[in-house]
């Protein structure tokens, strides 16, 4: 296996690095280091009422990760394959590798990169990418090109469309950052577009529209002094929702019509921005910070899986250590509002504040607590004195926990007692009150590898219509055998509920696990889980059994 990988790598490296294949092969043969592993798992699923089943009775998955290192060249490779490959936006069967040489990292296959929060933010693509960050250099860069989603034309099952039809989407982009890690400025350019010819069945569907996105952004990090630092970014996004419309001149943004072929403006196009800034001050035992965000109502990016828009928020936070570092205090306060362009019929304002405290009583006892208050108000943006709607919600949350811990060379003991209170009011009326408490205990013997965990949890939820009480214990045990070659674990938990004082059923969960390491290369694992649920209308028993094998080298 190692020889096969060595031959493949030598061939690739000849063209990639432009070196003599014979000398490179000799060097690789002497210094090659290959590590990684292979994993496989099969899972059987059973339920006593098959009409309630939401998964396949059998599931399998294969995975592999390999890292090839020759000198300073490192090539990690990973792949995952399972039975769920279907015609969806992204396949489940994925593969990719990221070879690295000194300050250069290449990305091939299914990879992800991040430019900033509001441009390219970790969205996965199938293609090529590169990161260049030479040591001690003030210039760093990233670039990529690839497919962000594949075409899904939709298919019919019993007269219904299965899957969400979408166009194939391709994108490219780059980021250049100049300066030191603590003092720099970056420039971002990202473009993505849908291929109108990639689907046929739904190509003219009014709800499935091919789009286009062009983003230009700036980022910065500045160490203003030893105590003061600033971090921020601003991104401008030009977004066309439907490329099938005729080109037109955007009123107020006519310059977007002059950047073809980067962007094609029409009546469905919009131009918006997103801003984020954080200012932090730190001196000895005190930290203070303030953060600001504003995302325009129509701001979108094809480089992020999900992004909220139409909001503006401001938050301040602080922390301090006092009493010889035994007491740590923290606090934050902020507000958020939406409807930034006054286009909505109603707007909402949120006020959030919180306090935290952590006190080390001695080397064995610690107590911590927190309190938070969430205030949300909504009212009509266009006020009518005859018909005015106002809505207010206040949520208070408080928790307190006492922790005990003691350990030596023989045993480890830990215990905790916790309580939580939450209250929500709507328009000044108590709507929901929740009380929750729990006690847990842990005991472990270090040499034998025996650990026992037990606990009990109880809660009471009070609403306008009913009261719900839930209570139940938990017990878990794990043990090592034969100097860690065999590891076993088992746990059981139960939860009994009462609705308005009347028995409302229970949930019983039992799990068991065992792993066996044959040697440093081969390992097997077995997992068993069963969940029973019973109430006035339901009596189900779900069982899963998984058997896995891992090979590492």
């Amino acid at each position: 296996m190692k020889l096969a990988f060595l031959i493949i790598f030598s061939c690739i490296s000849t063209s990639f690095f432009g070196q003599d294949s014979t000398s490179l092969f000799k060097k690789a043969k002497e210094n090659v280091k290959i590590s990684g592993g292979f994993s496989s798992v099969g899972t059987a699923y059973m339920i006593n009422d098959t009409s309630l089943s939401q998964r396949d009775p059998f599931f399998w998955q294969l995975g592999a990760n390999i890292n090839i290192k020759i000198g300073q060249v490192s090539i990690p490779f990973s792949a995952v394959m399972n039975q769920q490959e279907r015609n969806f936006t992204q396949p489940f069967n994925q593969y990719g590798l990221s070879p690295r040489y000194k300050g250069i990292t290449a990305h091939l296959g299914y990879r992800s990169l991040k430019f900033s929060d509001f441009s390219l933010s970790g969205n996965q693509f199938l293609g090529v990418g590169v990161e260049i960050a030479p040591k001690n250099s003030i210039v760093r860069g990233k670039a990529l090109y690839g497919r962000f989603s594949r075409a899904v034309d939709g298919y019919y099952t019993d007269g219904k469309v299965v899957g969400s039809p979408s166009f194939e989407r391709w994108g490219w982009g780059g980021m250049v950052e100049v300066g030191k890690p603590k003092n720099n400025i970056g420039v971002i350019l990202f473009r993505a577009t849908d291929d109108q010819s990639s689907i046929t069945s739904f190509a003219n569907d009014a709800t499935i529209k091919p789009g286009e996105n062009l983003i230009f952004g700036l980022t910065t990090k500045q160490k203003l002094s030893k105590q003061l630092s600033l971090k921020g970014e601003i991104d401008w996004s030009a977004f066309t929702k439907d490329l099938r419309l005729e080109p037109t001149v955007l009123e107020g943004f006519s310059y977007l019509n002059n950047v073809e072929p980067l962007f094609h403006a029409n009546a469905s196009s919009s131009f918006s921005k997103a801003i984020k800034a954080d200012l932090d001050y730190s001196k000895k035992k005190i930290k203070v910070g303030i953060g600001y965000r504003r995302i325009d109502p129509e701001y979108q990016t094809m480089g992020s899986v999900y992004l909220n828009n139409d909001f503006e928020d401001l938050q301040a936070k602080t922390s301090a250590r006092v009493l010889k570092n035994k007491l740590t205090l923290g606090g934050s306060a902020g507000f958020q509002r939406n409807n930034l362009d006054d286009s909505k019929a109603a707007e909402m304002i949120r006020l959030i504040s919180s306090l935290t405290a952590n006190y080390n009583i001695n080397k064995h006892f610690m107590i911590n607590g927190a309190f938070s208050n969430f205030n949300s108000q909504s009212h009509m943006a266009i006020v009518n004195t005859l018909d005015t709607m106002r809505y207010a919600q206040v949520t208070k949350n408080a928790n307190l926990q006492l922790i005990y811990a003691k350990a030596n060379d023989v045993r480890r003991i830990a215990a905790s007692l916790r309580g939580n209170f939450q209250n929500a009011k709507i328009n000044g009326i108590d709507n929901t009150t929740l009380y929750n408490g729990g006690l847990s205990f842990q005991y472990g013997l270090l040499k034998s590898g025996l650990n026992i965990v037990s606990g009990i949890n109880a809660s009471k939820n009070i609403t306008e219509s009913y009261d719900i009480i839930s209570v139940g214990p938990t017990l878990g045990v794990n043990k090592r055998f034969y100097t860690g070659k065999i590891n076993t674990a088992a746990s059981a938990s139960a939860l009994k509920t009462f609705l308005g004082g009347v028995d409302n059923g229970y949930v019983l969960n039992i799990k068991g696990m065992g792993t066996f390491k044959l040697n440093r290369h081969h390992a097997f694992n077995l997992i068993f889980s069963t969940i029973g649920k019973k109430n006035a209308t339901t009596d189900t028993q779900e069982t899963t059994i998984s058997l896995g094998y891992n090979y590492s080298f």
Side-chain angles (χ1 to χ4, degrees):
M1 180 181 289
K2 290 186 177 182
L3 181 60
F5 282 122
L6 180 59
I7 295 173
I8 294 172
F9 176 71
S10 300
C11 296
I12 296 175
S13 299
T14 301
S15 58
F16 189 78
F17 295 103
Q19 298 182 14
D20 180 72
S21 60
T22 304
S23 62
L24 183 60
F25 184 83
K26 284 184 177 180
K27 185 178 180 181
K29 188 176 181 181
E30 295 173 357
N31 303 301
V32 64
K33 293 181 179 179
I34 301 178
S35 61
F38 166 83
S39 65
S40 62
V41 62
T43 302
Y45 170 78
M46 295 158 281
I47 186 171
N48 61 339
D49 187 349
T50 56
S51 64
L52 299 176
S53 176
Q54 297 181 349
R55 54 186 294 183
D56 293 334
F58 182 76
F59 171 83
W60 62 265
Q61 180 167 293
L62 304 175
N65 64 88
I66 300 169
N67 185 62
I68 306 173
K69 188 174 183 180
I70 303 177
Q72 298 186 45
V73 180
S74 179
I75 304 180
F77 172 84
S78 62
V80 176
M81 181 183 298
N82 59 41
Q83 68 189 45
Q84 292 184 345
E85 170 67 12
R86 298 290 188 270
N87 291 327
F88 293 113
T89 303
Q90 287 284 5
F92 286 85
N93 297 347
Q94 299 172 356
Y95 47 87
L97 61 133
S98 297
R100 176 179 296 178
Y101 178 74
K102 292 186 177 180
I104 301 176
T105 303
H107 299 287
L108 308 171
Y110 286 99
R111 303 283 90 178
S112 64
L113 285 175
K114 182 175 181 178
F115 292 168
S116 68
D117 289 341
F118 305 134
S119 55
L120 178 65
S121 183
N123 205 356
Q124 192 179 68
F125 64 93
L126 172 63
V128 297
V130 63
E131 294 183 76
I132 303 175
K135 189 177 181 180
N136 300 324
S137 174
I138 64 170
V139 181
R140 297 168 294 278
K142 301 177 183 179
L144 71 101
Y145 175 78
R147 188 187 71 190
F148 282 79
S149 61
R150 65 181 186 179
V152 179
D153 216 356
Y155 56 94
Y156 291 89
T157 300
D158 296 329
K160 298 179 180 179
V161 178
V162 180
S164 299
S166 62
F167 293 91
E168 187 172 80
R169 177 172 296 170
W170 288 80
W172 58 266
M175 177 181 183
V176 177
E177 191 176 79
V178 181
K180 298 179 180 180
K182 293 183 179 180
N183 293 86
N184 59 65
I185 185 170
V187 180
I188 297 169
L189 184 65
F190 174 74
R191 181 180 185 270
T193 185
D194 292 335
D195 182 0
Q196 301 181 54
S197 63
S198 59
I199 65 175
T200 56
S201 300
F202 294 86
N204 298 316
D205 193 306
T207 61
I208 311 300
K209 302 175 182 179
E212 184 180 61
N213 183 212
L214 177 66
I215 289 182
F216 175 76
L218 298 172
T219 66
T220 186
K221 291 180 182 178
Q222 298 296 328
K223 188 71 173 178
L224 304 177
S225 68
K226 291 183 65 175
Q227 295 83 26
L228 195 62
S229 61
L230 173 68
K231 180 174 66 175
E233 72 168 286
I234 179 170
D235 297 275
W236 292 271
S237 174
F239 200 100
T240 295
K241 297 182 179 67
D242 192 348
L243 286 170
R244 297 172 297 191
L245 301 181
E246 292 296 324
T248 186
V249 176
L250 291 183
E251 185 177 350
F253 307 103
S254 58
Y255 52 85
L256 288 177
N257 295 87
N258 301 318
V259 294
E260 292 189 8
L262 292 179
F263 186 74
H264 303 84
N266 59 37
S268 69
S269 301
S270 62
F271 185 72
S272 53
K273 66 181 181 301
I275 303 172
K276 179 181 180 181
D278 292 284
L279 184 65
D280 294 299
Y281 176 85
S282 176
K283 186 175 182 179
K284 293 183 178 180
K285 300 178 181 180
I286 299 176
K287 293 182 179 180
V288 179
I290 186 169
Y292 174 76
R293 289 186 304 171
R294 178 188 171 97
I295 305 181
D296 287 349
E298 293 189 355
Y299 189 90
Q300 298 181 66
T301 172
M302 290 182 175
S304 178
V305 177
Y306 179 77
L307 181 68
N308 281 326
N309 58 25
D310 190 19
F311 74 86
E312 180 181 40
D313 62 24
L314 181 67
Q315 184 181 40
K317 55 185 178 180
T318 182
S319 65
R321 289 176 294 159
V322 297
L323 300 179
K324 297 181 180 181
N325 294 331
K326 285 190 172 183
L327 177 61
T328 302
L329 299 172
S332 65
F335 88 94
Q336 185 183 94
R337 71 182 185 97
N338 68 346
N339 196 26
L340 302 184
D341 59 357
D342 297 325
S343 62
K344 292 182 171 64
E347 63 183 22
M348 179 173 289
I349 298 176
R350 298 182 176 94
L351 300 175
I352 302 173
S353 60
S354 67
L355 294 172
T356 61
N358 189 338
Y359 182 62
N360 293 314
I361 302 173
N362 54 42
K363 65 178 182 179
H364 297 306
F365 285 94
M366 180 180 68
I367 187 170
N368 59 63
F371 173 80
S372 63
N373 185 51
F374 177 87
N375 190 321
S376 176
Q377 295 187 15
S378 178
H379 62 274
M380 300 295 292
I382 303 174
V383 178
N384 185 327
T385 56
L386 298 179
D387 184 15
T388 301
M389 182 194 74
R390 291 188 179 276
Y391 171 87
Q393 178 176 344
V394 178
T395 301
K396 297 179 180 179
N397 187 78
N399 63 74
L400 188 66
Q401 184 176 27
L402 177 64
I403 300 173
Y404 171 81
K406 185 177 181 179
N408 53 35
D409 296 337
V410 178
R411 62 179 60 85
R412 179 177 58 236
I413 301 174
S416 70
L417 177 64
R418 64 190 183 278
N420 176 265
F421 166 79
Q422 186 180 82
N423 176 254
K425 293 183 179 181
I426 298 178
N427 291 330
I429 301 174
D430 283 343
N431 288 79
T432 303
T433 302
L434 174 66
Y435 300 92
N436 180 269
L439 176 65
S440 62
F441 177 78
Q442 181 178 349
Y443 180 81
L445 296 174
L446 301 182
K447 291 185 179 180
S448 65
L450 173 66
N451 286 280
I452 301 174
V453 179
S454 61
I456 186 169
N457 187 79
S459 66
K460 183 176 183 179
N461 191 4
I462 304 173
T463 69
E464 293 180 330
S465 305
Y466 50 80
D467 296 351
I468 300 178
I469 296 177
S470 301
V471 60
T474 298
L475 178 63
V477 179
N478 60 76
K479 180 74 170 69
R480 297 195 311 266
F481 298 93
Y482 301 107
T483 63
K485 284 190 174 183
I486 298 178
N487 286 273
T488 60
S491 66
S493 62
L495 188 67
K496 185 73 173 177
T497 61
F498 300 88
L499 179 61
V502 179
D503 187 350
N504 193 47
Y506 66 87
V507 177
L508 179 63
N509 191 349
I510 299 175
K511 293 182 179 180
M513 182 196 73
T515 62
F516 172 58
K517 294 182 180 180
L518 183 62
N519 51 42
R520 67 186 185 93
H521 297 297
H522 305 277
F524 301 87
N525 61 77
L526 176 66
I527 301 175
F528 170 84
S529 174
T530 181
I531 301 176
K533 302 177 183 178
K534 185 175 182 179
N535 54 39
T537 59
T538 305
D539 187 358
T540 61
Q541 187 77 32
E542 296 179 90
T543 302
T544 58
I545 302 175
S546 297
L547 179 62
Y549 166 73
N550 295 277
Y551 173 77
S552 59
F553 55 89

